[in-house]
Amino acid sequence: MLLADVVITSSAVGATRSRKSKTEAIADLIRGAEPADIEPVVAWLAGETLQGRLGIGWRTLAGAKAIAAAEPAWTIAEVDQILSALAETSGAGSMARRKQLLADLMSKATVDEQEFLIRLLTGEIRHGALEGVMTDAIAKAAGLPLDVVRRAFMLSGRLPATASAAIVGGADALADFRLEVGRPVRPMLASPATSLADAHAAFGGDVSVEFKLDGARIQVHRNGDDVSIYTRTLNDITERVPELVQLVRALPCDSVVLDGETLALTDSGKPRPFQETMSRFGASSERELLLQPYFFDCIHLDGVDLLDEPLSQRLVALDRVAPDHRIPSLLRPDLAATEMHLDDALAGGHEGIMIKALDSVYAAGRRGKAWQKVKPEHTLDLIVLGAEWGYGRRTGYLSNLHLGARDPDGGEPIMVGKTFKGLTDELLRWQTEEFPKHERNRDDHTVYLNPSLVVEIELDGAQVSTRYPGKVALRFARVLRYRPDKTPAEADTLDAVRELLH
């Protein structure tokens, strides 16, 4: 298969808002690929390379750009080999070698292929092939039930490997994906509750009610003395959190996989600001700011996988292995006790509570109704699409944010409002320094960004509006914080905004 085939499909996917059309175009391409080409094809359409980040910037790529070839010639395999060579090149003379590899790559590429490669290598593939669309396309191309593909992706954590197994080996190959201690599983997510009473009643009171902490999601794996700790985006942070590694190593078990939150506390036991917890994830060494873990799920214990067991049984396992590190919770409380638990959570400086069905299995990567979050304020995780230059005391700073919700059909984010409220002087300085790194283009008043930054917005609700393309607008939106632990693929959808109309 040629690189040109991927470029054509990418263009077709980007040109339509129809999820069905995107899915069919990608499925056709995957179905027609040689077995060895499936993994790079899927990775590229998802906006990634199999080799991960290659550390190649716009300036280097611009210098490598050559007179375009008249006809397509590059095969998928050939391009993938060059990307592997780029990833493996290091040491003395590596800069010259990488420039030569890029020059060779660009000189044999057509104009459209050059543009695609530049966007791929800089992480700017923005044609709406998000995980949901890609998973649908893989299932369609392989002729397999979507749930089978989703489960395999949950356990493998890698779309390319999932696609290759589905096409080449079918359902049997996908069934071979198991929970593997040391390989992160995509985390289960929660949906906002319409109200505390509704969420409690939805499960007939057969629930676990837990504090919703203002911390960072972690997933802990231990096999013997080997411990790995991952973020919600499956990044390995083991070396940055030695105090957590030491704690997990001391648990009374041989192997375990735990899901939970971690946060830094003040001397009085209150949670420190979320940004302080996240600062530890970016540190190269342990600091005085120690993290405390709070676990709420156990999906593997001493050789037994618990993903398909009900939450009630997973909590028994959690009590067995980490009773001193349980998140504050109640089992089968009545409505009055649930309301009191919410009051206790808020008094402790936490966000709210989670209400979880005790018969629910661990369904990773999806916002189902089995877990519902109850918070006193409406909040949404939205994508920053741009920022306007401020005036008055904000002159010289990027201030008024353009906010977008994720398109549930995989298209570009859809603008749903603006806000400059909640921005501290520190955030204004940070935005002005950081936003140009994500710039797509600008005019005299606004810097428009590639959709890469997620911000948590507090709001009073939503209203019908013809001002924005989603026909809905945020009411009294204000910035709470940025979410470096979330990718745009995890932002809230336009459907979540529309639900606030009610």
Side-chain angles (χ1 to χ4, degrees):
M1 177 174 282
L2 294 176
L3 170 63
D5 297 319
V6 179
V7 175
I8 291 169
T9 299
S10 175
S11 178
V13 169
T16 179
R17 291 286 297 273
S18 166
R19 185 186 183 100
K20 181 179 179 181
S21 296
K22 292 176 188 291
T23 300
E24 290 178 348
I26 296 169
D28 286 344
L29 185 71
I30 296 173
R31 198 182 293 116
E34 295 294 327
D37 291 341
I38 293 173
E39 290 202 26
V41 164
V42 170
W44 297 351
L45 285 176
E48 302 173 349
T49 68
L50 293 177
Q51 296 77 12
R53 292 183 179 274
L54 298 177
I56 300 171
W58 279 99
R59 184 173 299 178
T60 302
L61 286 165
K65 201 168 182 180
I67 297 175
E71 297 293 334
W74 279 125
T75 66
I76 300 296
E78 289 169 338
V79 174
D80 192 49
Q81 287 173 3
I82 290 179
L83 298 182
S84 293
L86 284 166
E88 294 163 3
T89 299
S90 61
S94 60
M95 184 175 293
R97 171 63 176 154
R98 285 162 71 89
K99 285 183 177 180
Q100 185 59 53
L101 286 168
L102 287 170
D104 293 343
L105 179 63
M106 292 299 183
S107 65
K108 196 176 167 183
T110 64
V111 171
D112 290 343
E113 289 172 338
Q114 286 183 353
E115 293 302 318
F116 178 85
L117 289 168
I118 289 172
R119 288 187 290 118
L120 175 66
L121 295 177
T122 55
E124 301 299 340
I125 297 291
R126 309 288 183 195
H127 55 206
L130 297 174
E131 285 182 357
V133 174
M134 292 299 296
T135 308
D136 290 351
I138 292 166
K140 187 175 184 65
L144 295 173
L146 180 57
D147 286 348
V148 173
V149 176
R150 279 179 177 160
R151 180 177 175 82
F153 178 36
M154 172 185 80
L155 294 171
S156 73
R158 296 178 297 133
L159 274 172
T162 304
S164 179
I167 300 297
V168 176
D172 290 342
L174 293 182
D176 288 339
F177 287 112
R178 305 279 190 214
L179 189 155
E180 182 180 313
V181 179
R183 183 176 67 192
V185 173
R186 299 172 70 241
M188 186 168 177
L189 304 176
S191 295
T194 54
S195 71
L196 184 151
D198 287 348
H200 188 274
F203 308 119
D206 194 29
V207 295
S208 172
V209 179
E210 306 164 359
F211 279 14
K212 187 181 188 310
L213 305 186
D214 190 18
R217 188 82 172 260
I218 55 169
Q219 188 177 121
V220 168
H221 291 241
R222 174 184 162 192
N223 189 8
D225 286 335
D226 294 332
V227 174
S228 299
I229 300 179
Y230 303 93
T231 66
R232 65 179 293 137
T233 53
L234 311 188
N235 292 324
D236 190 336
I237 57 166
T238 308
E239 295 183 359
R240 301 171 187 169
V241 287
E243 70 272 36
L244 299 185
V245 172
Q246 182 178 2
L247 183 150
V248 173
R249 211 169 259 152
L251 295 177
C253 62
D254 292 320
S255 64
V256 71
V257 179
L258 299 171
D259 196 359
E261 297 262 343
T262 188
L263 69 162
L265 302 176
T266 65
D267 292 339
S268 64
K270 291 288 186 79
R272 289 181 179 272
F274 174 77
Q275 285 78 6
E276 293 189 26
T277 295
M278 287 304 300
S279 70
R280 274 296 308 279
F281 287 12
S284 58
S285 62
E286 183 178 2
R287 299 178 180 181
E288 293 180 2
L289 189 64
L290 297 179
L291 298 177
Q292 300 291 332
Y294 294 88
F295 300 117
F296 52 72
D297 216 323
C298 178
I299 58 177
H300 173 96
L301 181 59
D302 287 338
V304 180
D305 293 344
L306 302 172
L307 284 166
D308 296 322
E309 298 299 328
L311 175 61
S312 57
Q313 292 190 30
R314 303 201 304 275
L315 293 179
V316 171
L318 180 56
D319 278 331
R320 190 182 114 200
V321 72
D324 296 334
H325 305 287
R326 279 286 309 272
I327 205 162
S329 60
L330 302 176
L331 201 62
R332 299 185 178 89
D334 60 20
L335 182 58
T338 299
E339 291 172 339
M340 188 174 296
H341 204 55
L342 173 60
D343 292 341
D344 290 343
L346 297 175
H350 303 295
E351 289 189 313
I353 57 173
M354 300 283 288
I355 299 180
K356 300 178 179 179
L358 284 171
D359 62 356
S360 60
V361 300
Y362 195 91
R366 302 187 65 194
R367 292 190 186 276
K369 294 296 185 181
W371 290 10
Q372 297 189 35
K373 51 189 175 184
V374 179
K375 299 165 67 174
E377 302 91 8
H378 295 301
T379 64
L380 293 170
D381 294 321
L382 300 175
I383 301 166
V384 182
L385 304 181
E388 298 171 8
W389 292 104
Y391 54 90
R393 77 173 187 85
R394 295 188 177 191
T395 299
Y397 292 107
L398 287 170
S399 176
N400 199 15
L401 301 180
H402 293 199
L403 302 168
R406 180 161 57 87
D407 183 351
D409 293 328
E412 289 281 326
I414 300 167
M415 190 169 177
V416 291
K418 298 180 182 183
T419 191
F420 56 82
K421 298 182 183 298
L423 291 171
T424 63
D425 291 345
E426 181 181 359
L427 274 180
L428 287 169
R429 287 191 293 269
W430 178 84
Q431 288 180 176
T432 306
E433 179 181 346
E434 181 69 20
F435 283 7
K437 301 174 185 176
H438 306 269
E439 182 176 334
R440 174 181 285 180
N441 53 60
R442 67 172 67 193
D443 56 31
D444 292 341
H445 306 288
T446 306
V447 175
Y448 300 97
L449 308 184
N450 289 308
S452 54
L453 299 173
V454 177
V455 64
E456 186 174 358
I457 298 294
E458 184 180 77
L459 64 159
D460 289 356
Q463 61 191 25
V464 175
S465 172
T466 58
R467 183 176 182 182
Y468 301 115
K471 307 302 181 187
V472 64
L474 310 177
R475 296 182 66 248
F476 304 107
R478 47 211 174 268
V479 173
L480 280 182
R481 58 187 174 176
Y482 280 86
R483 296 300 304 255
D485 59 323
K486 292 191 174 184
T487 67
E490 297 176 285
D492 284 302
T493 66
L494 181 63
D495 290 340
V497 182
R498 286 174 174 162
E499 285 180 7
L500 297 179
L501 291 172
H502 308 298

